[in-house]
Amino acid sequence: NAGVTQTPKFQVLKTGQSMTLQCAQDMNHEYMSWYRQDPGMGLRLIHYSVGAGITDQGEVPNGYNVSRSTTEDFPLRLLSAAPSQTSVYFCATGGQGTLNTEAFFGQGTRLTVV
Amino acid sequence: GNSVTQMEGPVTLSEEAFLTINCTYTATGYPSLFWYVQYPGEGLQLLLKATKADDKGSNKGFEATYRKETTSFHLEKGSVQVSDSAVYFCALSVINQGGKLIFGQGTELSVKP
């Protein structure tokens, strides 16, 4: 049972490049989300989705794009990478407040923008 | 708005010492409260939760009580082990606000033998 799988685990980009961080889940959860983790700031919500075809912005959405065409996948796109986007990115599923359920996290993608 | 404040780390303890990590929150509505733990190189995993006032969450020797009057959810453990070394995050989510998790900044715990 894979749970939540993120790829790649590590990535180095040059300023201005674009890329997609992949997130796939096999838990059949409707709710998926992306967070970034920065030292001293905890995790901040970038975008989230309550089901296929539905996405919404979180606290820090600028510079990122998402789509949700299937229940299983929720890719995060960096349109034009900037050094300020150097961070560790986590995808999570579940955690839907109406059910007070647990959120399940992937192992993270460490992104460095030079 | 909703927010979570944790005590700053790092916290360094000797094995078998008592642990408290303070967490206070501000929320509109009725939050559920969580503690997540992140071991080195891994993602976060749920440690314990409480969904209403006076509930006590517990797991692996850790406990936290939902105190509405003091808006707190402090994490405690009576006797820490080296294997408890990790970063601990307090978080909340509010029903009817999309279920989004709001995290504190995290507290790093280091336990020495």
Side-chain angles (χ1 to χ4, degrees):
Chain A
N1 189 352
V4 182
T5 302
Q6 288 184 237
T7 55
K9 286 187 167 47
F10 302 94
Q11 183 70 50
V12 178
L13 287 180
K14 294 183 178 178
T15 297
Q17 286 185 314
S18 63
M19 80 160 293
T20 299
L21 279 62
Q22 302 291 346
C23 176
Q25 55 114 348
D26 61 3
M27 309 176 83
N28 203 31
H29 286 160
E30 291 296 321
Y31 187 85
M32 297 186 74
S33 51
W34 277 101
Y35 291 85
R36 59 177 289 173
Q37 181 181 22
D38 301 293
M41 302 189 75
L43 278 77
R44 293 181 291 169
L45 182 65
I46 305 171
H47 285 285
Y48 66 100
S49 168
V50 299
I54 306 170
T55 64
D56 205 348
Q57 296 181 350
E59 181 185 355
V60 288
N62 292 340
Y64 307 96
N65 230 350
V66 292
S67 59
R68 184 91 179 273
S69 55
T70 67
T71 298
E72 293 78 21
D73 299 298
F74 191 45
L76 178 72
R77 297 183 188 85
L78 278 70
L79 309 173
S80 176
S84 60
Q85 294 179 303
T86 293
S87 187
V88 181
Y89 292 85
F90 287 100
C91 177
T93 73
Q96 190 167 9
T98 53
L99 297 177
N100 294 316
T101 57
E102 175 180 354
F104 294 85
F105 285 80
Q107 295 212 330
T109 296
R110 185 175 294 274
L111 175 68
T112 302
V113 182
V114 298
Chain B
N2 301 326
S3 66
V4 176
T5 302
Q6 291 179 235
M7 64 185 286
E8 287 193 21
V11 174
T12 303
L13 295 174
S14 297
E15 207 165 21
E16 300 184 1
F18 184 86
L19 169 71
T20 300
I21 299 178
N22 290 339
C23 171
T24 57
Y25 67 90
T26 303
T28 56
Y30 301 95
S32 294
L33 302 173
F34 306 84
W35 277 101
Y36 281 83
V37 59
Q38 182 182 30
Y39 298 105
E42 299 185 10
L44 279 72
Q45 54 187 278
L46 181 67
L47 180 60
L48 53 85
K49 70 177 183 183
T51 58
K52 62 183 186 296
D54 299 325
D55 266 2
K56 177 185 284 188
S58 61
N59 186 26
K60 300 182 181 179
F62 290 90
E63 292 183 340
T65 301
Y66 188 142
R67 302 283 189 202
K68 188 177 178 183
E69 63 275 14
T70 55
T71 61
S72 65
F73 193 54
H74 305 321
L75 182 68
E76 297 181 336
K77 186 174 185 182
S79 176
V80 294
Q81 305 300 312
V82 172
S83 57
D84 294 326
S85 297
V87 181
Y88 292 82
F89 291 92
C90 186
L92 67 82
S93 71
V94 180
I95 295 177
N96 299 327
Q97 293 188 18
K100 299 183 287 290
L101 280 168
I102 307 297
F103 286 90
Q105 70 269 39
T107 301
E108 181 179 358
L109 171 66
S110 177
V111 181
K112 307 296 186 186

